[in-house]
Structures are given as C-alpha cells and as structure tokens.
C-alpha cells in the first residue's frame, strides 16, 4: 500500500474534534494519557516523567497502527494530540495523591479500550484495510500504549492478566466493523461499538469476568 493516501479517502471525522469520531479520538488520547500519568503517580515520579508516561501511553497505540497501515503518524501531523497528553498529565499532577487513583486508572482504561478500539478500526477502514485487519488494528490501537505503560512502570502487562482487557478492545472493534459492513454510518456504528467495549471491561472490573484458562496445566516429566 502506498504511503501517499488521497485525503479524500479519509473521513473528516478522523481529523476534526467537532465530529463524533474526531471527539472519540481526542477523548481516547486524553484518557489513556491520564492512565499513563496515574501509573507515574503510583511510582511517585517527577513531573517530566508524568508527561512522558502520559504521552507514550496516549499516542503509543495509534503510532503503531499508523506505521503498520502505512499512514502518516497522526500526532506528528497534529500537535494537539501531544498537548492533550501533557494537559492530562498536568491535571493528574494537580489533583494529587489519593486512594482513588488505582480505581480511576482502571475505569479510564475501560473508557479508552472502547473508544480506541473503534478509532483504530475506523482509521484502518479509511485506508482500505480488510475487515479482519481493521479489527486487529483496533485492538492494537487500544492496547499497545497500555502495554508500554505497564512495562515502563514495572507492572504486569495487560496481556498477562486473566481479567478481560484486550477482549474489550476486540469487541469494540468487531462491533464497529460488523456495523459498518451492515450499512450503518460511522457515528451510529461508533455509538454502538464503543459502549460495548466499555461495558465488557466494566463488567470484568465489577464482577471479575475473565476468559477460561487453558485446562491442561503444566505436564511434568517423570
């Protein structure tokens, strides 16, 4: 696929925050950036590290997506994304310490999984990527920044947790792609898909939902 994509192929909803998908894009960056700043807060880092954690979490997944689909990296083209990340970091810093921080991180992560699962799939769709790969791009967009955040913070990666996380992003992306191929416009498809991903992750947080583990276990040699 060529790196030069006709701008006419791209939905304006992916570029302007006043549109539904554009607002979802900026919201997803903001909430993931906040989770990065909260992870820095847990480790009692300084303000510079707050900003770094926020930025790499906020734009990490979208950066990987754009590189894989041969698109211009979104935050390089638009300074507002980094500004949103730094603003989220500053807000978390000013709010200060509190026992609520870890729960806030989990719920903000749930919002981000739903929003960015949709956004990743939508941008891949705009670049003519096949439906199955659109779903994969949605999951990568939603999860990769969190994986980097956890590695930097020395926390267990979301990939290694039994609780539902990646599955929520996959659900949001899948519902969006199916809705689009069923004929729905972008905004109603997003309005169905993003809450679906959030509700799945929210159910996991409230009731401990998880996928079944491999039943075989380790086989020991005698």
């Amino acid at each position: 696929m060529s790196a030069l994509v006709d701008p006419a192929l791209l939905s304006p909803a992916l570029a302007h925050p006043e549109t539904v998908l554009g607002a979802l894009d900026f919201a997803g960056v903001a909430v993931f950036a906040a989770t990065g700043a909260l992870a820095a807060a847990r480790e009692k880092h300084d303000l510079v590290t707050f900003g770094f954690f926020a930025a790499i979490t906020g734009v990490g997944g979208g950066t990987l997506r754009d590189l894989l689909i041969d698109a211009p990296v979104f935050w390089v083209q638009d300074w507002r994304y980094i500004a949103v990340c730094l603003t989220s970091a500053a807000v978390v810093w000013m709010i200060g310490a509190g026992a609520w921080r870890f729960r806030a991180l989990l719920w903000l992560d749930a919002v981000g999984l739903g929003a960015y699962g949709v956004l990743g799939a939508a941008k891949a769709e705009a670049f003519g990527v096949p439906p199955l790969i659109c779903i994969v791009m949605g999951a990568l967009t939603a999860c990769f920044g969190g994986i980097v955040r956890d590695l930097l913070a020395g926390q267990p990666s979301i990939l290694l947790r039994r609780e539902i996380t990646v599955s929520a992003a996959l659900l949001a992306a899948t519902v969006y792609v199916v809705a689009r191929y069923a004929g729905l416009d972008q905004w109603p498809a997003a309005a169905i898909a993003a809450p679906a991903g959030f509700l799945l992750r929210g159910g996991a947080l409230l009731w401990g939902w998880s996928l079944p583990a491999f039943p075989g276990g380790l086989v020991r040699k005698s």
Side-chain angles (χ1 to χ4, degrees), residues 2 7 12 30 34 76 92 100 109 131 150 157 178 188 196 207-208:
S2 172
V76 176
V92 172
W100 53 270
D109 209 42
D150 292 342
S157 170
V178 170
W207 298 296

Side-chain angles (χ1 to χ4, degrees), residues 170-197:
L170 284 170
L171 176 64
T174 301
V175 171
Y176 176 81
V177 169
V178 170
R180 289 287 289 147
Y181 276 83
L184 290 184
D185 290 335
Q186 283 186 328
W187 75 262
I192 296 170

Side-chain angles (χ1 to χ4, degrees), residues 93-166:
W93 178 274
M94 289 186 292
I95 289 174
W100 53 270
R101 286 188 314 212
F102 181 62
R103 296 299 296 176
L105 188 155
L106 293 176
W107 284 101
L108 285 173
D109 209 42
V111 174
L113 287 171
Y116 249 31
V118 170
L119 253 298
K123 187 162 187 179
E125 177 197 23
F127 275 76
V129 173
L132 179 59
I133 308 305
C134 286
I135 294 170
V136 173
M137 290 299 111
L140 284 176
T141 304
C143 297
F144 186 71
I147 292 170
V148 175
R149 174 200 65 210
D150 292 342
L151 290 174
L152 290 175
Q155 299 295 322
S157 170
I158 59 174
L159 292 176
L160 301 179
R161 299 174 192 166
R162 283 285 314 282
E163 62 192 44
I164 290 173
T165 49
V166 178

Side-chain angles (χ1 to χ4, degrees), residues 17-159:
E18 64 271 12
T19 60
V20 173
L21 287 181
L24 205 60
D25 197 8
F26 280 87
V29 168
V31 296
F32 272 135
T35 69
L38 286 166
R42 291 183 66 189
E43 303 301 318
K44 302 186 184 300
H45 287 298
D46 59 31
L47 184 57
V48 173
T49 307
F50 264 63
F52 179 74
F53 270 49
I56 202 165
T57 308
V59 304
T63 300
L64 178 62
R65 173 204 63 213
D66 287 350
L67 292 174
L68 290 174
I69 66 174
D70 211 10
V73 178
F74 69 108
W75 59 270
V76 176
Q77 308 295 318
D78 191 340
W79 61 269
R80 292 174 297 176
Y81 288 101
I82 296 299
V84 166
C85 292
L86 297 179
T87 300
S88 293
V91 169
V92 172
W93 178 274
M94 289 186 292
I95 289 174
W100 53 270
R101 286 188 314 212
F102 181 62
R103 296 299 296 176
L105 188 155
L106 293 176
W107 284 101
L108 285 173
D109 209 42
V111 174
L113 287 171
Y116 249 31
V118 170
L119 253 298
K123 187 162 187 179
E125 177 197 23
F127 275 76
V129 173
L132 179 59
I133 308 305
C134 286
I135 294 170
V136 173
M137 290 299 111
L140 284 176
T141 304
C143 297
F144 186 71
I147 292 170
V148 175
R149 174 200 65 210
D150 292 342
L151 290 174
L152 290 175
Q155 299 295 322
S157 170
I158 59 174
L159 292 176

